Amino acid sequence: MNKKDILYISLITVFSIFFIFLPININIFVKIGIIVLLYLIYSLKYLQEYLEYEEMVNNFPLFLRDLSHYLKIGQPLPVALKSVSNNYYGKRLNREIKYII
């Protein structure tokens, strides 16, 4: 976690404590629902990162298979990487492949 994440979680926690004990005439379940919604919005960022990582892990063997196929037919590594970069292996893995080239 970086400082921005720690600050965001701290602000949500402080807001939650004050919001629960404010003398506003709102049902306690509505208050708790709003607090849970704030934490869920924050957690969506990590869910997206996790899904991209899982997609990269699942597609990496396909990338290696295709790369080894191009190397077996006699292409040099830079040409094989260029050829493999035309395939789609997921958003994150394609970004890494483009970075290598």
Side-chain angles (χ1 to χ4, degrees):
M1 288 183 123
N2 57 21
K3 290 181 181 181
K4 183 180 177 183
D5 293 335
I6 293 172
L7 178 66
Y8 188 74
I9 290 175
S10 301
L11 287 175
I12 291 176
T13 305
V14 169
F15 171 77
S16 302
I17 292 170
F18 285 127
F19 189 66
I20 290 285
F21 293 112
L22 277 178
I24 300 175
N25 205 9
I26 299 177
N27 190 350
I28 188 70
F29 296 113
V30 174
K31 290 180 181 181
I32 292 173
I34 291 171
I35 293 167
V36 168
L37 182 65
L38 289 173
Y39 281 109
L40 284 176
I41 290 170
Y42 176 71
S43 66
L44 285 177
K45 174 181 131 182
Y46 289 104
L47 177 64
Q48 180 185 6
E49 289 178 7
Y50 173 75
L51 291 176
E52 285 180 1
Y53 176 77
E54 283 297 313
E55 183 182 32
M56 183 175 73
V57 168
N58 290 335
N59 289 330
F60 192 68
L62 300 173
F63 164 72
L64 290 178
R65 183 194 64 199
D66 292 344
L67 183 64
S68 68
H69 174 72
Y70 283 113
L71 293 174
K72 282 181 185 177
I73 61 174
Q75 287 187 346
L77 183 60
V79 176
L81 281 172
K82 189 76 165 172
S83 300
V84 169
S85 70
N86 296 329
N87 300 341
Y88 181 74
Y89 299 106
K91 181 180 173 183
R92 190 169 176 183
L93 186 56
N94 273 13
R95 186 174 56 225
E96 296 296 328
I97 294 169
K98 300 286 185 202
Y99 180 75
I100 290 172
I101 295 174

